[in-house]
Amino acid sequence: MASAILSTLKTASPAVPQTLTEKIVQRYSIGLPEDKFVKAGDYVTLEPHRCMTHDNSWPVAMKFMSIGASTIHNPRQIVMTLDHDVQNKSESNMKKYRQIEEFAAKQGVDFYPAGRGIGHQIMIEEGYAWPGTLAVASDSHTNMYGGIGCLGTAMVRTDAASIWATGRTWWQIPPIAKVTFTGVLPQGVTGKDIIVALCGLFNNDEVLNHAIEFTGSEETLRSIPVDDRLTIANMTTEWGALSGLFPIDSVLQAWLRYKATDAALYKSADAGKSSAHERFTHAALDELFENQLVADKGAQYAKSLYLNLSSLSPYVSGPNSVKVATPLNQLEAQDIKINKAYLVSCTNSRASDLAAAAKVFKDAAEENGGKIPKVARGVNFYIAAASLPEQQAAEEQGDWQAMLEAGAKPLPAGCGPCIGLGTGLLEPGEVGISASNRNYKGRMGSTEAKAYLASPEVVAASALSGKISGPGWYEKPEGSEGVLRGEGDGIKEEDRMITIEEALERIIAQADEMVTTAEEQGFTSDSAASANADSAPSATTLVDVLPGFPEKITGEIVFCDADNINTDGIYPGKYTYQDYVSREKMAEVCMSNYDPSFSSIAVEGDILVSGFNFGTGSSREQAATALLAKGIPMVVAGSFGNIFARNSINNALCGLEVPRLVERLRESFSSTPKASKTAPISEPAVNSQSLDSPPPGPTTTPANEKQLTRRTGWRFLWDVRRSLVEVTEGPGPDAKKWTQKVGEMPPNVQAIIARGGLEGWVKGEIEAK
């Protein structure tokens, strides 16, 4: 490719320019051919620096043992934490917690008990997630590690069992997006406002299933503290990304030096039995900074976006969707009363967040004769620190006590209400505002409640006033007229100063793109072009179908007409951490948070078809296994959330992306106009609740009105050998039929599904050896 020319002009440049994400993956990939430079799209075998599991450690252990493994491959690679259901004191949960602790002790794995903190926060503050390394966890918010320059991405339970047994797993490097920040954060605007705005302003799946790299000038990045970066990286999950990576810059270096000094000075302090001093050492930092990874000039990104921080104001997400973000001042004018406020979760419950919330009450005390005022009548304000050390830091500053004096209700350091577990969940008809990361309908309680997301200070101010409001700290920059954002890097051409090397890189990038386009056009065959025709292509390459994998899958189409159906809609969170839910119960509650009537409409053997980004959200494997329990052999969608797609393969649920089928079903059964893929998504007027899962429709509706779940009478057939799908649009011999070519089913994926999932495949490999 043309990029090779550049290496002859600059001897210091690498043979193949890489992004920061690619460089980290390169470092942790094993079995690469000599001189192989990994790039987006490559499948690699990874040996992660760390792997964290939480309450799901026991289900992972059961998978681990069921595949014939008995000893963890590398105990230093593994961290176990208890954080999700810490308020649950039932005998069954206590038994599970004991089993996890005993298993960790037997295997020599670092273990953190319930109440010590949320796993992701522990990974950060204890130094397990380390800049320039790759860490995975069986939880969707592993992205948070990117806030300190550690490539963090989610894996699922079965992947975790594989890592325990072998130290390795597989990954496909996703397309990589660059997000450039310009300007500086105004007074009263936080990292939470940045990510809420990004989710709401770029809400057309621009970064769906991408790895994100954040960048900006030194001045810009200095305005984003590390705690705010953690918040931003954490919620790249809700933005649809698989990781969110900040550079290792002067801000992070100063934070790391402070952590190393603090760890050395206070290593004897209990603080939940911290061992951070073993990892946060100045010697380790010297080595890190001497061998620091940075993205190469000329590295290729799938897309580039920018956001001018100077133009940003406080933002609020919701109700019930991160894709709806509104400037705080607009919601303040609507006088939206709240019932509950939450300062919880790994997103925004560090000491700095607790201090910001406490300041709201301390400032109000100055106008109240020095006495901390109470939260508004009828409002319950819940607080939980991200970890015990963070709570202790807040107590030392008097921030924790200030909020308790205001009437806040303390909860143990853990996930709690953020994931719909424990005390203080939203009841039907209630309105809540939270500093957490996810406000899908039903996520924090009743599906008939409304949930908003905001910064800690806005949550505290809302609790104090009884309605969505801010503390009044925002100072609008002079001349600011709306948020400046878009594609590219946000630098005006007349202000751009580039070197000769940068000019060469730009020319060569354009040449690369032209060559790639020409190759794609040159290799498009007639049969591929005919794939969208109403008849099968005349020439078909047959795929070898492995024993145990079906040559054809067919069934009636049941249509769930919604985009962004999340994993909580597929399998309710309240069942996620119950380890012994029967298959019958899983089938009964399958899709119930999306549509309570799904269970009575869908039958065994149906092919479920849904819209775009199906299975977004958390990493729960039950989203796939519940559909299998219902007897659904296959899901077809316009596109899938990455974690759901991975879970499906790992649990032997077949899936195909056929956007044309979704469009045809919507043309035939929906009166809603088809949206352009380039048009921004906005909340439909008929749906005041959520883009993620629309409210239930009437029991009986005309054929052209939207139903949540519809038996269509259409038939779907997937011919695996011919890599072809056939759709019959209705019953009877005169029904229209059309076919479409689809991707070939790779033999390694066939092998996993044929053996009942990755667990069965790994077991077979162990037995074979």
Side-chain angles (χ1 to χ4, degrees):
M1 298 293 286
S3 59
I5 300 171
L6 188 59
S7 64
T8 67
L9 302 175
K10 299 186 297 178
T11 57
S13 295
V16 178
Q18 289 179 303
T19 66
L20 180 56
T21 299
E22 290 166 341
K23 284 193 169 187
I24 295 175
V25 174
Q26 180 91 34
R27 179 176 283 183
Y28 287 92
S29 295
I30 60 175
L32 294 176
E34 188 176 355
D35 298 325
K36 165 66 177 177
F37 288 85
V38 302
K39 63 182 184 302
D42 286 347
Y43 284 88
V44 293
T45 298
L46 289 177
E47 194 168 67
H49 178 62
R50 302 287 185 187
C51 172
M52 187 271 284
T53 56
H54 46 63
D55 290 33
N56 55 26
S57 296
W58 188 243
V60 173
M62 294 174 68
K63 285 180 178 289
F64 172 79
M65 292 182 286
S66 72
I67 60 179
S70 58
T71 303
I72 286 180
H73 177 79
N74 179 8
R76 291 182 60 81
Q77 187 183 30
I78 310 303
V79 181
M80 296 184 191
T81 67
L82 300 180
D83 61 4
H84 271 53
D85 204 10
V86 297
Q87 297 178 46
N88 182 357
K89 305 301 182 183
S90 68
E91 176 54 34
S92 61
N93 196 54
M94 292 297 96
K95 178 182 178 181
K96 179 175 73 173
Y97 279 8
R98 287 194 301 271
Q99 289 171 322
I100 294 171
E101 184 171 8
E102 291 167 3
F103 183 84
K106 179 181 178 181
Q107 296 288 341
V109 167
D110 285 0
F111 169 81
Y112 294 85
R116 170 57 176 78
I118 300 172
H120 298 309
Q121 178 63 26
I122 290 171
M123 292 288 285
I124 297 291
E125 68 188 27
E126 289 291 320
Y128 295 111
W130 191 255
T133 69
L134 188 150
V136 301
S138 56
D139 186 274
S140 59
H141 287 102
T142 312
N143 297 27
M144 179 172 132
Y145 310 158
I148 58 163
C150 170
L151 180 58
T153 193
M155 294 290 175
V156 297
R157 298 180 183 186
T158 305
D159 293 309
S162 176
I163 294 170
W164 287 11
T166 67
R168 304 186 304 274
T169 189
W170 63 273
W171 200 46
Q172 183 183 23
I173 306 174
I176 303 166
K178 180 165 69 173
V179 176
T180 302
F181 294 134
T182 63
V184 295
L185 274 181
Q187 177 72 28
V189 183
T190 69
K192 185 57 162 281
D193 299 308
I194 293 175
I195 189 60
V196 166
L198 286 172
C199 290
L201 298 175
F202 295 101
N203 61 3
N204 198 29
D205 296 339
E206 287 89 345
V207 297
L208 179 64
N209 294 334
H210 283 61
I212 296 174
E213 293 184 12
F214 294 105
T215 188
S217 70
E218 183 177 354
E219 180 186 22
T220 295
L221 292 178
R222 274 204 307 267
S223 74
I224 311 176
V226 168
D227 281 0
D228 284 33
R229 298 179 185 196
L230 293 170
T231 298
I232 294 166
N234 182 292
M235 279 192 64
T236 57
T237 301
E238 280 63 46
W239 200 14
L242 303 182
S243 62
L245 189 60
F246 277 84
I248 305 171
D249 63 351
S250 61
V251 173
L252 178 60
Q253 290 175 0
W255 182 86
L256 290 166
R257 288 295 186 190
Y258 168 79
K259 290 288 291 183
T261 301
D262 188 66
L265 288 174
Y266 300 103
K267 63 182 180 181
S268 61
D270 190 284
K273 298 182 179 178
S274 171
S275 60
H277 62 278
E278 298 175 5
R279 290 169 289 277
F280 281 111
T281 68
H282 287 290
L285 294 181
D286 291 340
E287 182 180 353
L288 170 66
F289 300 154
E290 288 172 8
N291 301 281
Q292 186 170 309
L293 294 179
V294 295
D296 292 323
K297 290 183 177 181
Q300 297 297 302
Y301 292 89
K303 60 184 61 175
S304 296
L305 305 172
Y306 76 90
L307 177 68
N308 187 319
L309 303 185
S310 297
S311 68
L312 200 60
S313 66
Y315 261 75
V316 177
S317 170
N320 295 356
S321 174
V322 295
K323 291 196 171 190
V324 179
T326 308
L328 172 64
N329 61 354
Q330 294 183 21
L331 293 183
E332 285 180 311
Q334 296 177 29
D335 196 36
I336 301 172
K337 301 291 191 299
I338 67 165
N339 305 99
K340 290 185 171 80
Y342 305 90
L343 182 52
V344 299
S345 86
C346 56
T347 314
N348 272 122
S349 285
R350 284 167 282 280
S352 61
D353 302 310
L354 300 171
K359 186 177 186 301
V360 173
F361 296 99
K362 291 178 179 180
D363 287 353
E366 295 178 4
E367 300 178 3
N368 193 41
K371 183 178 181 181
I372 297 289
K374 298 292 184 182
V375 299
R377 185 183 299 275
V379 174
N380 288 313
F381 180 33
Y382 298 95
I383 60 174
S387 71
L388 187 56
E390 294 294 317
Q391 180 176 328
Q392 291 173 343
E395 290 171 343
E396 291 171 2
Q397 298 299 318
D399 297 324
W400 190 260
Q401 294 89 327
M403 289 187 285
L404 294 181
E405 189 175 342
K409 299 181 178 182
L411 299 173
C415 300
C418 173
I419 55 170
L421 294 174
T423 301
L425 304 187
L426 288 171
E427 300 292 338
E430 288 189 332
V431 175
I433 187 166
S434 177
S436 54
N437 47 38
R438 192 167 282 168
N439 60 348
Y440 301 145
K441 187 170 72 170
R443 164 80 175 183
M444 299 181 68
S446 172
T447 57
E448 298 175 24
K450 290 187 178 182
Y452 294 85
L453 303 178
S455 66
E457 46 263 56
V458 169
V459 169
S462 300
L464 183 59
S465 67
K467 60 183 180 180
I468 295 179
S469 57
W473 300 343
Y474 171 59
E475 297 178 4
K476 182 178 180 180
E478 186 176 346
S480 176
E481 297 294 338
V483 180
L484 301 177
R485 85 281 188 184
E487 297 183 355
D489 60 13
I491 302 175
K492 297 178 181 179
E493 288 301 319
E494 60 267 26
D495 296 333
R496 190 184 304 276
M497 296 181 64
I498 61 175
T499 66
I500 294 175
E501 289 180 348
E502 289 171 334
L504 284 169
E505 287 166 356
R506 184 182 300 182
I507 293 169
I508 290 170
Q510 292 171 349
D512 279 345
E513 185 177 354
M514 292 171 63
V515 171
T516 300
T517 302
E519 288 176 343
E520 291 174 349
Q521 291 175 346
F523 286 101
T524 300
S525 65
D526 292 339
S527 62
S530 67
N532 290 325
D534 285 346
S535 60
S538 55
T540 301
T541 301
L542 297 181
V543 174
D544 290 331
V545 180
L546 299 183
F549 194 90
E551 291 194 11
K552 294 182 179 180
I553 298 177
T554 186
E556 182 179 344
I557 292 174
V558 169
F559 186 35
C560 292
D561 186 7
D563 296 334
N564 304 301
I565 294 180
N566 59 72
T567 50
D568 196 69
I570 302 169
Y571 189 77
K574 63 183 178 181
Y575 299 104
T576 301
Y577 296 99
Q578 297 179 24
D579 295 328
Y580 301 104
V581 180
S582 69
R583 190 173 179 86
E584 292 75 21
K585 185 65 176 180
M586 293 182 76
E588 176 189 335
V589 303
C590 178
M591 301 292 291
S592 60
N593 267 2
Y594 164 72
D595 180 7
S597 64
F598 177 87
S599 180
S600 62
I601 296 173
V603 299
E604 184 175 352
D606 284 340
I607 304 296
L608 173 61
V609 180
S610 191
F612 292 84
N613 199 20
F614 183 84
T616 183
S618 76
S619 59
R620 67 192 66 169
E621 288 188 312
Q622 297 96 323
T625 56
L627 288 165
L628 288 167
K630 182 62 180 171
I632 304 294
M634 182 173 190
V635 180
V636 181
S639 62
F640 291 101
N642 181 273
I643 293 178
F644 177 84
R646 189 180 185 96
N647 271 327
S648 296
I649 292 172
N650 284 351
N651 289 280
L653 174 66
C654 293
L656 279 180
E657 294 184 352
V658 188
R660 182 187 177 195
L661 175 57
V662 178
E663 293 169 359
R664 283 292 303 132
L665 286 165
R666 286 178 171 170
E667 288 170 358
S668 302
F669 294 106
S670 175
S671 60
T672 304
K674 183 171 63 176
S676 168
K677 288 187 178 180
T678 59
I681 297 176
S682 58
E683 194 166 29
V686 296
N687 175 18
S688 62
Q689 293 286 322
S690 171
L691 284 170
D692 301 315
S693 44
T699 305
T700 304
T701 56
N704 68 338
E705 284 194 14
K706 187 172 182 179
Q707 294 179 8
L708 290 179
T709 306
R710 179 193 297 272
R711 297 203 67 83
T712 62
W714 293 22
R715 301 286 301 179
F716 181 88
L717 182 146
W718 177 29
D719 188 328
V720 178
R721 186 175 294 279
R722 299 172 65 205
S723 302
L724 196 74
V725 297
E726 178 183 280
V727 177
T728 304
E729 298 186 353
D734 298 326
K736 179 181 177 181
K737 292 186 179 181
W738 54 271
T739 60
Q740 179 174 318
K741 191 77 172 170
V742 293
E744 295 182 0
M745 177 58 66
N748 58 339
V749 176
Q750 285 190 47
I752 291 172
I753 294 177
R755 290 194 176 183
L758 184 59
E759 182 179 343
W761 182 86
V762 174
K763 184 176 181 179
E765 292 297 301
I766 291 175
E767 291 173 349
K769 293 179 180 179

